[in-house]
């Protein structure tokens, strides 16, 4: 028997340092770290101690023989990461690397506490807060424009990912830290300027995320019935900026443009049995609308083929529990799936069929259709969306179009901004001495929750370097 890591893993590596036999990889510092969908337990070395399961903030780790039917495949997924790899040469506990001590981040003990403002209570802001509170004697003012903390953990992560949302509890432990002051409902840029905040603190870290939707840039995008995934996600999570009647579920077919994990979240929620969402964090108004929803089919429209789809493997596997079909309109797509090229192999065994787009969806269970090699060329309709025309000229009738083609940051007056990437330019998280960035506003909108941990460490290191070098107004 062994333990296995499962779908909700956000790769924050909390489990790596507690494993006594160093059998969880890729670990921070290893070449693959940050590029795999998740971390994996080597079943050849695991000694079943359970330490990793206790340390995981999102309940992603289970003994293999306790995996539920829907997670059973993760035993094989963990093992296959190690296929063809030698076992770690030295399975000695990795928390006892007795070498010379390295204290590169220590600031002198007579250094007066820094006053640092962190703007944004999402994962990036909270990992920065954690680093500052646990590893320095700084006093932190934590600011967010919303009255509820959590960023995308609260208002982005889908309500059926209850384990992932649990990481919010780990972050919330710091809200009552004696050296932390919370200022919720305060927006930098309107309640305070960047300059005012800088004048009142030794340093300011901006962790403001990338909340605006990238446009599709095609005709018809402004029609009623065409919405961004950011709005739909905010709607089902009860975001205060989005009205409860924003989303209309009176059409039978919805087209979602994009195949990233956010597109998959939207498809999963729109086709879920509402009973399975009761008791989750879903907004009550959204649940009521889903209960009377007419949606019977969600079509995910992908510009490219299944070998380069944007979703991660664990998220696609979660979708396979639904009624999932691949549109067989293109022989190349079917060949890629059969050959298992790149991510296409994940679709082996998923039914394929030629889908008729001018007719309403077939009766039966709500289903999800993946249609590859189909860039949208126009959203059709006069006063309301009635479908999508693809670049190859096919018309797909639909009453709602959701664009899930990515997000971008928004400029903050007083800070530089790169329009192309939608991020704030920086070097190692430093915008200028005293001003720093972390998370999606620094790296752009990619990477799960755990990726923000390494990102925050780099930013806090730059801040401390400036403090020690006397570059802050301290
Ligand atoms: C829909 C969706 C679902 C996701 N699901 C998962 C998942 O299941 N698992 C996973 O690992 N990752 C998931 N992610 C990715 C994960 O959420 C991100 O990696 C992470 O949230 C980025 O963190 P951040 O702190 O940079 O931004 P955010 O989480 O967006 O936090 C930014 C915060 O800054 C605040 N803010 C913005 N502007 C201002 C201002 N001017 N003044 C004051 N406050 C401000 C905002 O209110 C917000 O609280 C998902 C992302 C999205 C979009
Ligand atoms: S159960 Fe113990 S030995 Fe196995 S991966 Fe987890 S921490 Fe490592
Ligand atoms: S979420 Fe973190 S602690 Fe949990 S399995 Fe993934 S890397 Fe390990």
């Amino acid at each position: 028997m062994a333990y296995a890591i499962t779908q909700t893993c956000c790769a924050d590596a909390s489990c790596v340092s507690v494993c006594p036999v160093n059998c969880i990889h890729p670990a921070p510092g290893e070449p693959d770290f940050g590029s795999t969908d998740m971390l994996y337990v080597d079943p050849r070395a695991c000694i079943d101690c359970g330490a990793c399961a206790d340390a995981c903030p999102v309940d992603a780790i289970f003994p293999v023989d306790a995996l539920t039917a829907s997670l059973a495949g993760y035993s094989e997924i963990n093992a296959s990461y190690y296929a063809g790899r030698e076992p770690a040469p030295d399975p000695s506990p990795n928390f006892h690397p007795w070498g010379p001590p390295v204290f590169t981040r220590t600031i002198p003990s007579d250094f007066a506490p820094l006053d640092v403002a962190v703007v944004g209570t999402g994962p990036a802001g909270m990992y920065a807060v954690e680093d500052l509170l646990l590893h320095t004697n700084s006093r932190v003012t934590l600011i967010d424009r919303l009255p509820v903390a959590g960023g995308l953990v609260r208002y982005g992560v889908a309500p059926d990912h209850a384990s992932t949302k649990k990481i919010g509890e780990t972050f919330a432990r710091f809200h009552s830290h004696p050296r932390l002051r919370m200022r919720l409902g305060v927006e930098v840029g309107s309640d305070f300027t960047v300059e005012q905040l800088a004048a009142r603190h030794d340093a300011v870290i901006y962790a403001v995320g990338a909340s605006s939707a990238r446009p599709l840039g095609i005709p018809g995008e402004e029609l009623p019935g065409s919405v961004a995934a950011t709005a739909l996600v905010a709607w089902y999570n009860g975001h205060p900026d989005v009205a409860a009647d924003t989303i209309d579920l009176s059409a039978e077919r919805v087209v979602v443009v994009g195949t990233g994990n956010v597109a998959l979240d939207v498809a999963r929620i729109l086709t879920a049995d509402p009973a399975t969402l009761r008791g989750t964090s879903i907004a009550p108004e959204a649940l009521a609308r889903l209960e009377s929803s007419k949606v019977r089919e969600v079509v995910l429209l992908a510009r490219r083929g299944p070998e380069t789809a944007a979703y991660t493997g664990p998220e696609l596997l979660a979708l396979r529990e639904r009624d999932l079909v691949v549109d067989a309109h293109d022989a190349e797509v079917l060949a890629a799936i059969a050959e298992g090229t790149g991510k296409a192999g994940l679709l082996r065994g998923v039914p394929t069929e030629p889908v008729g787009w001018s007719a309403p969806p077939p009766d039966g269970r709500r289903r999800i259709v993946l249609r590859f090699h189909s860039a949208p060329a126009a959203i059709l309709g006069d006063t309301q969306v009635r479908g999508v025309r693809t670049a190859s000229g096919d018309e797909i009738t639909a009453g709602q179009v959701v664009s899930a083609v990515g997000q971008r940051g928004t400029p903050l007056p007083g800070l530089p901004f790169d329009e192309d990437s939608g991020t704030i330019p920086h070097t190692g998280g430093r915008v200028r001495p005293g001003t720093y960035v972390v998370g999606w506003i620094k790296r752009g909108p990619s990477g799960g929750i755990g990726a923000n941990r390494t990102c925050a460490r780099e930013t806090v290191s730059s801040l401390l370097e400036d403090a020690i070098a006397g570059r802050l107004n301290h």
Side-chain angles (χ1 to χ4, degrees), residues 118-130 142 205-207 438-439 452 456:
V118 176
V119 184
T121 59
M126 291 315 299
Y127 281 126
V129 163
E130 179 185 74
L142 180 59
I205 300 178
Y206 288 92
V438 69
N452 298 296

Side-chain angles (χ1 to χ4, degrees), residues 71-87:
L71 296 179
Y74 282 91
S75 166
E76 178 55 30
I77 289 170
N78 279 248
S80 60
Y81 177 76
Y82 295 94
R85 289 174 202 246
E86 293 295 315

